Amino acid sequence: MGAAQVHPSAVVDPGATLGDDVRIGAFTLIGPDVEIGAGTIVGPHSSIHGPTRIGRENHIHGHAAIGGEPQDKKFAGERAELVIGDRNTIREFVTINRGTGDGGGITRVGDDNWFLAYTHVAHDCVVGNRCVFSNNATLAGHVTVGDHVILSGFVGIHQFCRIGAHAFIGMGAFVNGDVPPFVMVAQDGYGRPRGINAEGLKRRGFDSARTSAIKRAYRALYVSGDSLADARVRLEEMAQGSEDVRAFLDFIEAGDRPLLR
C-alpha cells in the first residue's frame, strides 16, 4: 500500500481524507469532510462533496457528481450525509446526492454495485448490494432498493417506493408502487413499427423507385398479416430486384433477438 496519488490539476480540500493507494484524476474536486477508502479510483472532472464517506476499491469514472446537495426544496443546509460501501463501479455522469434532515439525514449505497452512465440516486435512498443500474435509471427520493436488483435502461422509480431483493425492472418502466422481492416488472407499451423513415431516405438521396420498393417490403412484413415465414418468402421474391430489400431481408435473417413486429 502506498500514498494517495493526486493529479496536479485536481483540488483536494485539506479537510478531506484519502486512504492508501487512492487515485484522483485530473480536474477533480474533493471537498471538505470527504473520506475515501483505500484503493478507490476517482476519474477526471468529477466532484465529491461532503459529508461523504466512500469505502475501499471503488471505481468512480469521469464527470461523476457524488455527495451533492439534495434536490429538495425543503433542504435548508442542515448536515446530511452520503455513505458508499466497497467495490462499487460508478460510471460517467452518475449523480448520487446526500440525504435531508427530515428524511433520515443520510443516503446509503452498499457494496459491489454497478451504476452505469447517467444514473441518479436521489436524497435519502438506500441501495443494497450487488445491484445493477443500467444507463439513465433514476431513483427519486426516499427509495429503498434491496440486494441483487436490476434496473434496466431509462427506468424511473417514484419517491418512497421499495424494490425488493432480486427484482428485475424492465427497460423504460416507470414504477410508482412497491415491487416485492423476486418480481419482474415490464412496461406494456414497447415501441412498435409505424412505417418507414421516408423523409430521412429522401434527405439521403433515395429516389422514388427505391423508396417504393422499401415501402412494399414494409407492407409485406408489417401490414399484410402474413406469418413471419410467409413474409420472408415474399421478401425473398422482392429482393431479386432491389438491393435495399435484400439488405432488409439480410438484417432479419441475421438476428438473434425476436423481430420487433
Side-chain angles (χ1 to χ4, degrees):
M1 302 291 284
Q5 302 174 41
V6 179
H7 192 277
S9 64
V11 176
V12 178
D13 190 274
T17 302
L18 307 182
D20 292 339
D21 289 330
V22 167
R23 286 186 277 165
I24 307 296
F27 302 104
T28 284
L29 169 67
I30 309 296
D33 206 359
V34 171
E35 295 181 11
I36 301 178
T40 289
I41 299 170
V42 182
H45 296 277
S46 295
S47 63
I48 303 179
H49 300 274
T52 292
R53 312 286 176 264
I54 299 174
R56 303 170 61 92
E57 299 175 8
N58 296 281
H59 191 174
I60 301 171
H61 290 250
H63 299 274
I66 308 299
E69 291 187 355
Q71 299 175 97
D72 186 332
K73 289 183 176 180
K74 298 186 298 296
F75 180 70
E78 67 272 16
R79 182 179 177 84
E81 301 181 31
L82 168 64
V83 175
I84 297 175
D86 302 331
R87 298 176 304 279
N88 294 285
T89 296
I90 299 173
R91 294 302 305 243
E92 296 81 3
F93 298 99
V94 169
T95 53
I96 306 177
N97 295 155
R98 305 196 312 274
T100 60
D102 63 353
I106 190 166
T107 301
R108 292 187 182 274
V109 173
D111 303 330
D112 300 296
N113 297 291
W114 277 65
F115 296 92
L116 301 188
Y118 292 96
T119 55
H120 174 66
V121 178
H123 58 87
D124 304 296
C125 288
V126 177
V127 178
N129 306 308
R130 294 173 294 281
C131 297
V132 177
F133 285 37
S134 297
N135 299 69
N136 296 93
T138 296
L139 305 184
H142 311 278
V143 171
T144 299
V145 177
D147 296 341
H148 295 282
V149 168
I150 295 177
L151 304 185
S152 301
F154 297 93
V155 162
I157 311 296
H158 194 277
Q159 61 189 16
F160 293 102
C161 288
R162 297 174 302 142
I163 311 298
H166 300 277
F168 180 98
I169 313 298
M171 181 181 67
F174 297 135
V175 176
N176 63 355
D178 290 351
V179 177
F182 315 112
V183 169
M184 183 165 62
V185 173
Q187 66 165 341
D188 292 332
Y190 283 102
R192 287 292 178 262
R194 294 291 186 266
I196 71 168
N197 183 17
E199 183 61 30
L201 298 179
K202 180 180 178 181
R203 293 177 181 178
R204 297 178 192 107
F206 282 63
D207 61 26
S208 59
R210 293 180 68 184
T211 302
S212 294
I214 294 168
K215 285 181 178 178
R216 288 193 294 272
Y218 176 87
R219 287 195 292 268
L221 184 62
Y222 290 110
V223 180
S224 66
D226 288 347
S227 68
L228 181 57
D230 289 342
R232 281 173 167 167
V233 172
R234 293 184 60 186
L235 290 172
E236 184 64 50
E237 294 172 355
M238 296 179 189
Q240 304 305 314
S242 170
E243 292 184 2
D244 296 317
V245 176
R246 170 56 61 191
F248 194 76
L249 180 59
D250 288 347
F251 178 88
I252 295 169
E253 299 290 355
D256 294 323
R257 293 276 297 170
L259 185 67
L260 188 65
R261 196 165 185 245

